Amino acid sequence: MTDKANGRSAKPINVALQGGGSHGAFTWGVLDRLLQDGRLDVAAISGTSAGAMNAVAFADGWLSGGADGARQKLHDLWRAVARKGRFSPVQRMPWDVMLGNWSIENTPGYIWWESISRLFSPYVANPLNINPLREAVEHEIDFERVRACTGIHLFVSATNVHTGKLRVFPTHEITADVVMASACLPQIFQAVTIDGVPYWDGGYGGNPAIYPFFRANRIEDVLLVQINPVNREDTPTSATEIQNRIDEITFNAGLLREFRAIAFVKELIAAGRLDRKDYRDIRMHRIDADAAFKDLSASSKINAEWAFLKYLRDLGRTAAEDWLETDFEHVGLRPSLPLDRELDDSLRPQPGGMGRRVREFLASHEKPTGMRAGH
């Protein structure tokens, strides 16, 4: 990518994309805005679950049509997801639609689905292993073209069911099975078998994995698009809230471990105990949805309505616009994400915060009095 605005060379960066079901449409919006801006040169992408879907769509579209092709392919993939979602038994109720409430946790379809998934394994509840998401991915993504990609390194993570270890699939190994393994929640889908090994969602081991970047290139800037909240101000009390918070903690655990490793190496480099020629002094940056998603319930992660996906896309575009305004200038110079505050409980963690444009966006989509997006 090049800076179309002034002709300057784009800044090289590696991008790490979290997973989170339909909330991955936020990441679509982030990528769409960054591609439109053109001042970043994405050298490598690591993705898990929905992040993996966004990664392969990005690469496929880029190879066929550059930045515009990548933007179009991301749009087409999420549009296909929405089309498949029309046949889901889990839909918002008419009054939720009228009130602009995105949550589906109190709908009959969701209550039925949640009960079935807790009582029966997917091998019983879905013996034919029907997965509309796979159909959408296989239809929209040319995986032969993706595997032939040399300009952008891709890394997709999945968890080995037998060993519990994370496996990171590089570009030349990525198939539809790999992406489906990365997005395989074991309560919903049967494990995806690759080379005789069963795999579950990559979020259990790395959401997303950052360490593959260190051997892919010498770029020290990493942009994380984070859609699973690290911090919650309220203590969960209901069974559903408790389970949802456990899932959030679980799916961020691997990321926090990598943060600790990066922070430790940075300390050693700063102290002169490690040679910069052999180790990366990583500069972390982040676009997150913590503040913007605080009123979205976990159930909305399986809401695949086109209106909701477009809402998340626009929210992601707005968050990226805020980041470009406030933090883009740091790329190549200094980190804009303070890892010490992410890791030290004695310091109050600081999520990316809500930028001016995000505040304005949410204000323009306010719910009627007494209604919030997650309730």
Side-chain angles (χ1 to χ4, degrees), residues 39-293:
R39 287 180 290 167
L40 289 177
D41 181 8
V42 178
I45 306 177
S46 175
T48 298
S49 193
M53 291 171 49
N54 281 315
V56 295
F58 184 106
D60 186 18
W62 180 264
L63 287 171
S64 63
D68 290 339
R71 295 180 67 194
Q72 186 62 51
K73 181 59 67 174
L74 284 161
H75 172 278
D76 293 347
L77 175 61
W78 285 99
R79 189 70 182 95
V81 170
R83 289 194 185 99
K84 294 296 181 181
R86 289 184 301 177
F87 304 103
S88 169
V90 182
Q91 303 285 347
R92 286 189 297 165
M93 302 302 288
W95 50 84
D96 288 322
V97 176
M98 289 188 295
L99 293 172
N101 176 27
W102 300 117
S103 175
I104 54 177
E105 61 189 15
N106 295 317
T107 64
Y110 181 78
I111 294 171
W112 170 84
W113 171 83
E114 189 175 52
S115 299
I116 291 296
S117 65
R118 291 181 184 276
L119 291 173
F120 302 100
S121 85
Y123 296 87
V124 175
N126 185 11
L128 298 179
N129 202 23
I130 297 171
N131 187 347
L133 183 60
R134 172 186 282 274
E135 298 172 9
V137 169
E138 289 181 334
H139 183 266
E140 295 298 332
I141 305 299
D142 183 339
F143 281 96
E144 287 189 10
R145 184 160 54 204
V146 169
R147 288 192 295 274
C149 178
T150 57
I152 303 173
H153 294 282
L154 298 180
F155 303 100
V156 171
S157 301
T159 304
N160 185 315
V161 177
H162 290 165
T163 67
K165 296 179 180 179
L166 186 71
R167 176 174 174 181
V168 178
F169 295 84
T171 309
H172 66 276
E173 295 181 355
I174 295 175
T175 64
D177 279 344
V178 168
V179 174
M180 289 299 97
S182 184
C184 180
L185 290 172
Q187 301 90 345
I188 305 174
F189 302 115
Q190 297 179 24
V192 178
T193 301
I194 301 173
D195 298 329
V197 179
Y199 290 93
W200 282 338
D201 196 295
Y204 294 110
N207 193 19
I210 296 175
Y211 70 85
F213 294 145
F214 306 156
R215 294 183 179 179
N217 54 53
R218 297 198 62 82
I219 295 169
E220 296 185 329
D221 288 278
V222 175
L223 173 61
L224 168 68
V225 183
Q226 187 168 3
I227 56 179
N228 285 293
V230 173
N231 306 300
R232 289 285 190 185
E233 296 181 358
D234 300 326
T235 302
T237 55
S238 72
T240 299
E241 290 172 344
I242 291 170
Q243 185 59 54
N244 291 339
R245 186 54 183 153
I246 289 172
D247 290 342
E248 288 175 346
I249 292 171
T250 300
F251 285 127
N252 277 321
L255 177 64
L256 292 177
R257 285 195 298 270
E258 294 212 62
F259 278 0
R260 291 186 183 94
I262 292 171
F264 182 58
V265 170
K266 289 178 71 67
E267 289 178 4
L268 294 178
I269 290 175
R273 297 172 63 184
L274 291 179
D275 193 330
R276 279 291 304 273
K277 293 184 297 183
D278 301 319
Y279 293 88
R280 308 286 190 275
D281 189 6
I282 299 300
R283 295 180 290 268
M284 288 298 305
H285 311 275
R286 178 172 65 185
I287 299 175
D288 70 61
D290 276 22
F293 279 14

